[in-house]
Amino acid sequence: MRIGVLGGGQLGRMLGLAGLPLGVQFTFLDPSEEACAAAVGRHLRAAYTDPEALHELARTCERATYEFENVPFQATAELVRSVPVYPPPPALEVAQDRLREKEFFRSLGIPTAEFAAVDSLEDLEAAVDHVGLPAVLKTRRMGYDGKGQRILMAPEDLQAAWEALTGPRTESSPLPTPRVEGLSGGLLAEALVPFRRELSVLAARDSWGEVVCYPVVENHHEGGILRLSLAPAPDLDPALEELAHAYARRALEALDYVGVLCVELFEVDGRLLANEMAPRVHNSGHWTIEGACTSQFANHVRAVAGLPLGSPRPRGWCAMVNLIGHRPDPAAVLRVPGASFHWYGKAVRPGRKVGHVTVCADRPEQLAERLDQLRRCGVPLPARAAAGLFRR
């Protein structure tokens, strides 16, 4: 079987690495000359909406998928006319609009922070009255890794945040046309949640409706970018784990989903609030390559290819550390027991995810020790000391 993938970045690369042992081949449609997934499959270099490229993908592939949620929806809508596309395009359409996403969660009885649509400065003032302060103003579309967001702490912050995302208001342009590069669409105001921690849950569903759920993961961000994931999430109430799995199942079933889905969550006062969902394999699931019986990438390929899903059971305790704009010495990393080094073959630039390190252990205390060893050999960890991550 050959699977066509919209996108040729590191997620596509890891899908290819997981699929090749299954006898699955890949074609990656990506406009970049330096698509790193080209190392594990055919690279079809063209715009995502190029009609000839989409025809070639549909003609030569038996199934199609996508590796990030900002591929143009129209590309999946065109492909699905000729070849099955998983996850289904409606899932992509929901995930591409933060307002629709929040409304989708609410329709399933999944709680979220308070939110309101914003299409004018007057809307923003009314939205803040509704959701309260502090709040966060976000673009509805295209934002990721902290882009397209502004924190609102006081009423005097509204004008500056509005102009930062939309440009100065004029009589001829009263509606938002976000000027942040790559962003488009309206805005969303959302209550800033005083969460204890950020969590995520990954689940996979096959075309027969079978679902497997991975352990809930604790995530640490800096500058809006994921830096560290701990799996399973330390000291998580089993009832909350069960609830997170239930939320993921509701979303999968409502969308008649096939593939891996990630739901990002906030833990707040013993409750879970849904933040966002990603209709694809996810950065917080990279630990599964070494840390689970079946990785998220293998299960996504299995689901798309019509193969049975594998066990999501963890192999002890695991952590994943993103390498962002930095390449530590691989030899030093690999001297740490239980550590694995993943390099994506991308040019190193500030703020760019260029690889990750995973480390596995039999006990939480052992994992904390190994994280501290990684820190000492140049693997960047969040400001919170590695040794304290499991000592709450």
Side-chain angles (χ1 to χ4, degrees):
M1 176 176 289
R2 181 173 289 272
I3 294 176
V5 184
L6 294 174
Q10 66 265 20
L11 298 180
R13 180 187 178 103
M14 286 183 272
L15 284 172
L17 290 169
L20 289 174
L22 299 173
V24 178
Q25 298 180 331
F26 295 84
T27 297
F28 301 95
L29 173 57
D30 192 295
S32 172
E33 185 177 349
E34 301 175 349
C36 65
V40 294
R42 179 188 175 199
H43 178 199
L44 190 60
R45 188 183 174 203
Y48 294 120
T49 54
D50 183 293
E52 292 185 9
L54 290 172
H55 175 74
E56 174 70 4
L57 205 66
R59 185 184 68 81
T60 58
C61 298
E62 295 158 79
R63 308 282 171 91
T65 188
Y66 41 91
E67 61 128 25
F68 71 114
E69 66 268 36
N70 288 331
V71 298
F73 171 75
Q74 59 265 37
T76 62
E78 179 63 28
L79 268 179
V80 79
R81 297 168 58 186
S82 305
V83 64
V85 176
Y86 302 125
L92 180 66
E93 192 173 28
V94 170
Q96 285 186 340
D97 185 324
R98 287 189 172 90
L99 177 61
R100 292 192 61 180
E101 190 175 53
K102 288 287 194 295
E103 291 171 341
F104 172 71
F105 286 141
R106 289 284 183 93
S107 74
L108 299 179
I110 300 173
T112 71
E114 289 298 321
F115 63 91
V118 173
D119 290 314
S120 68
L121 187 55
E122 289 75 16
D123 283 351
L124 177 56
E125 293 165 352
V128 166
D129 286 340
H130 172 66
V131 306
L133 290 172
V136 57
L137 181 64
K138 303 179 178 180
T139 58
R140 282 174 54 176
R141 304 179 70 85
M142 294 297 288
Y144 64 96
D145 285 349
K147 297 180 176 67
Q149 301 186 19
R150 290 294 184 276
I151 302 297
L152 309 174
M153 298 301 296
E156 51 267 30
D157 296 336
L158 272 58
Q159 180 82 36
W162 171 265
E163 293 189 358
L165 295 180
T166 70
R169 178 182 178 183
T170 66
E171 289 186 5
S172 61
S173 180
L175 296 180
T177 306
R179 65 181 184 180
V180 179
E181 184 178 358
L183 305 178
S184 62
L187 304 179
L188 180 76
E190 185 178 316
L192 193 63
V193 177
F195 55 84
R196 177 192 174 205
R197 55 179 167 173
E198 296 180 69
L199 304 169
S200 61
V201 58
L202 285 100
R205 183 177 185 269
D206 65 22
S207 54
W208 300 281
E210 293 295 320
V211 175
V212 298
C213 296
Y214 289 91
V216 173
V217 173
E218 177 178 309
N219 299 314
H220 294 258
H221 294 75
E222 285 183 356
I225 301 176
L226 179 64
R227 306 285 173 160
L228 170 71
S229 293
L230 300 172
D235 305 319
L236 182 65
D237 186 331
L240 288 185
E241 175 119 30
E242 185 176 340
L243 186 60
H245 290 167
Y247 289 166
R249 288 176 181 273
R250 285 183 210 174
L252 290 167
E253 290 164 7
L255 294 165
D256 195 19
Y257 198 94
V258 175
V260 166
L261 174 75
C262 176
V263 180
E264 299 175 26
L265 304 158
F266 296 130
E267 183 182 350
V268 186
D269 297 328
R271 300 179 300 134
L272 295 179
L273 300 181
N275 180 34
E276 296 180 351
M277 71 178 194
R280 55 170 172 82
V281 287
H282 194 260
N283 195 176
S284 68
H286 290 358
W287 66 272
T288 62
I289 298 173
E290 287 83 24
C293 292
T294 312
S295 77
Q296 64 162 344
F297 300 100
N299 264 336
H300 189 80
V301 172
R302 289 185 185 205
V304 171
L307 299 171
L309 298 175
S311 169
R313 185 172 58 83
R315 302 178 187 271
W317 294 79
C318 192
M320 185 282 304
V321 186
N322 273 328
L323 302 177
I324 299 169
H326 170 68
R327 179 185 171 97
D329 177 13
V333 169
L334 294 174
R335 289 190 187 99
V336 176
S340 298
F341 185 87
H342 294 259
W343 190 250
Y344 304 152
K346 298 162 66 173
V348 177
R349 293 201 297 264
R352 190 183 202 191
K353 294 174 184 174
V354 289
H356 73 268
V357 172
T358 52
V359 60
C360 299
D362 295 328
R363 305 180 312 280
E365 299 79 12
Q366 186 182 56
L367 180 60
E369 292 169 3
R370 291 177 177 180
L371 280 171
D372 201 41
Q373 288 179 266
L374 287 173
R375 180 185 56 78
R376 292 198 301 270
C377 70
V379 175
L381 289 172
R384 193 176 178 187
L389 288 172
F390 295 94
R391 299 170 189 164
R392 300 191 176 282

